[in-house]
Amino acid sequence: MRVVSLVPSLTEAVARTVPGALVGATDWCTHPAGLDVVRVGGTKNPKTDRILSLAPDLVIANEEENRAPDLDALRAGGVEVLVTEVRTVPQAVTELDRTLTACGAPSRPRWLDEAEAAWADPPVPGRRATAVVPIWPRPWMVLGRDTFAGDVLARLGVDHLYATHAERYPRIPLDELRAARPDVVVLPDEPYRFTADDGPEAFPGLPCALVDGRYLTWYGPSLAEAPRALAAALRAAHR
């Protein structure tokens, strides 16, 4: 089985579960460290000619991260493309199981069982909190409706204030975000790399939680560690 992955989360999952199956991955596929495969461009601008030259049996993609015209071009080149849809934690588990099976995994990996168990009883505080979750500044963009990261936070007792917005990643003026007075501002390090020196200063007087974007937005082996790591980061914001 020769697999090209266009999704960092899936790259990590396949590399860990079916060693040797991956022959190509995007430039953004940073896990596992030292992955030695052909790089095929970005998630939004993959080099389809390079992918086709690898003669993959399967390309794995995601309906949000990858563009339909690129996937159509790969299909037109005779390649099978598996497209995942992940909006919730349970859906992530199901789609990972489906993808790994398609990539030749002989059985469901232990890390996926551990991830499912971790999310069956996540650490939830006694009182639910409200949040805004910026993903990009200038213009400010935040989590909106129907997102995997929003479901992750909700399962940890955090309700983000734009969960019912008409858009999935709306642009919201900074003044409006401040005026919403959330209990916490959640600042991930991807897609924009918010840091202690770049992000919290925009929200004076509001607790800010700097979180590892891999735990908030990736669905793969990191799912098993995500509940504990994110809960710790959220607690730290109120110290």
Side-chain angles (χ1 to χ4, degrees), residues 63-112:
E63 51 87 29
E64 179 177 22
E65 294 195 53
N66 308 118
R67 301 184 317 128
D70 295 321
L71 305 183
D72 289 342
L74 292 171
R75 292 188 184 100
V79 174
E80 181 180 354
V81 180
L82 184 156
V83 182
T84 61
E85 179 180 316
V86 177
R87 307 287 177 89
T88 67
V89 172
Q91 196 174 24
V93 173
T94 298
E95 290 286 65
L96 282 165
D97 204 359
R98 179 171 76 99
T99 300
L100 293 172
T101 297
C103 291
S107 61
R108 178 167 154 145
R110 178 178 297 179
W111 64 258
L112 188 53

Side-chain angles (χ1 to χ4, degrees), residues 130-134 140-147 150 153 158-182 184-185 203:
T130 60
V132 294
V133 190
W140 286 87
M141 299 175 66
V142 301
L143 290 188
R145 64 169 180 84
D146 198 22
T147 65
L153 290 172
V158 178
D159 301 311
H160 72 92
L161 296 178
Y162 295 91
T164 59
H165 195 282
E167 298 178 22
R168 296 186 68 205
Y169 301 101
R171 297 184 180 187
I172 306 294
L174 181 57
D175 287 348
E176 182 178 329
L177 297 178
R178 292 168 173 164
R181 304 301 300 176
V184 64
V185 179
F203 301 94

Side-chain angles (χ1 to χ4, degrees), residues 171-239:
R171 297 184 180 187
I172 306 294
L174 181 57
D175 287 348
E176 182 178 329
L177 297 178
R178 292 168 173 164
R181 304 301 300 176
D183 295 320
V184 64
V185 179
V186 178
L187 297 169
D189 63 4
E190 61 176 73
Y192 183 84
R193 187 174 181 80
F194 289 108
T195 67
D197 299 320
D198 183 5
E201 78 287 348
F203 301 94
L206 293 176
C208 291
L210 293 165
V211 303
D212 187 330
R214 182 164 163 262
Y215 291 130
L216 183 62
T217 64
W218 286 40
Y219 39 92
S222 59
L223 272 176
E225 305 164 12
R228 175 191 53 79
L230 290 172
L234 291 166
R235 288 195 302 271
H238 293 281
R239 291 174 186 165

Side-chain angles (χ1 to χ4, degrees), residues 25-38:
T26 75
D27 300 340
W28 298 104
C29 293
T30 56
H31 289 72
L35 179 66
D36 185 17
V37 298
V38 175

Side-chain angles (χ1 to χ4, degrees), residues 42-78:
T43 58
K44 303 296 186 188
N45 57 345
K47 296 178 172 62
T48 55
D49 289 347
R50 182 176 298 177
I51 295 170
L52 293 173
S53 74
L54 293 172
D57 300 300
L58 181 67
V59 172
I60 51 178
N62 175 263
E63 51 87 29
E64 179 177 22
E65 294 195 53
N66 308 118
R67 301 184 317 128
D70 295 321
L71 305 183
D72 289 342
L74 292 171
R75 292 188 184 100

